[in-house]
Amino acid sequence: MRKAKKVRRNRNPLALLVVFVLIAVVGFELVHVYGELKVKWAEKNDAAAQLEELQQENASLQADLNRADDPAIYKEKAREQLGLAQEGERIFYDVNN
C-alpha cells in the first residue's frame, strides 16, 4: 500500500488579507445600500399617503364643482368661507378659545 501524500498548500497571507478586505468592503456597501433602501421606502410610503389625501381633496372639489348650479352651495360657502349669515340668523362667537 502506498502512503497518502500530504499536500501542503502555501497560503499567501497577502491574498487572504485582500480577500478579507474585499469581503468587508462589500459587506459595508450592502449595509449602506440597505439603509438607503429603507429611506426610499419611507419616502415612497409618505408620497403614497400624500397622493391619497390629494385624491380625496380632488374628489371633494369635483363634487363641489358638480353641485355648482345648486343655490344651497352658495349659502354653504358664504357661511363657511365668508362668515355670512342669512337674514334672521344669529351668529355666536366662541371667545373661550
Side-chain angles (χ1 to χ4, degrees):
M1 284 211 200
R2 290 182 145 176
K3 287 186 180 181
K5 291 185 180 179
K6 284 187 177 180
V7 178
R8 185 172 175 202
R9 294 182 183 171
N10 289 334
R11 296 191 178 167
N12 189 352
L14 183 60
L16 286 175
L17 180 65
V18 169
V19 169
F20 286 133
V21 167
L22 285 175
I23 290 173
V25 168
V26 169
F28 178 76
E29 284 299 317
L30 284 175
V31 169
H32 179 71
V33 168
Y34 181 72
E36 287 182 1
L37 181 64
K38 285 175 63 176
V39 168
K40 295 300 180 187
W41 275 104
E43 289 176 2
K44 177 192 168 276
N45 291 337
D46 290 343
Q50 185 180 12
L51 175 64
E52 179 67 29
E53 289 176 14
L54 289 174
Q55 286 175 337
Q56 289 175 357
E57 183 181 355
N58 190 24
S60 174
L61 291 173
Q62 186 63 43
D64 286 347
L65 187 59
N66 292 340
R67 298 185 317 163
D69 294 336
D70 187 6
I73 192 79
Y74 295 114
K75 290 180 184 178
E76 179 184 334
K77 294 297 178 186
R79 282 191 178 115
E80 289 177 3
Q81 295 177 355
L82 301 175
L84 300 177
Q86 278 187 319
E87 197 173 310
E89 288 183 334
R90 291 186 180 194
I91 298 176
F92 294 96
Y93 296 101
D94 187 8
V95 293
N96 292 329
N97 289 335

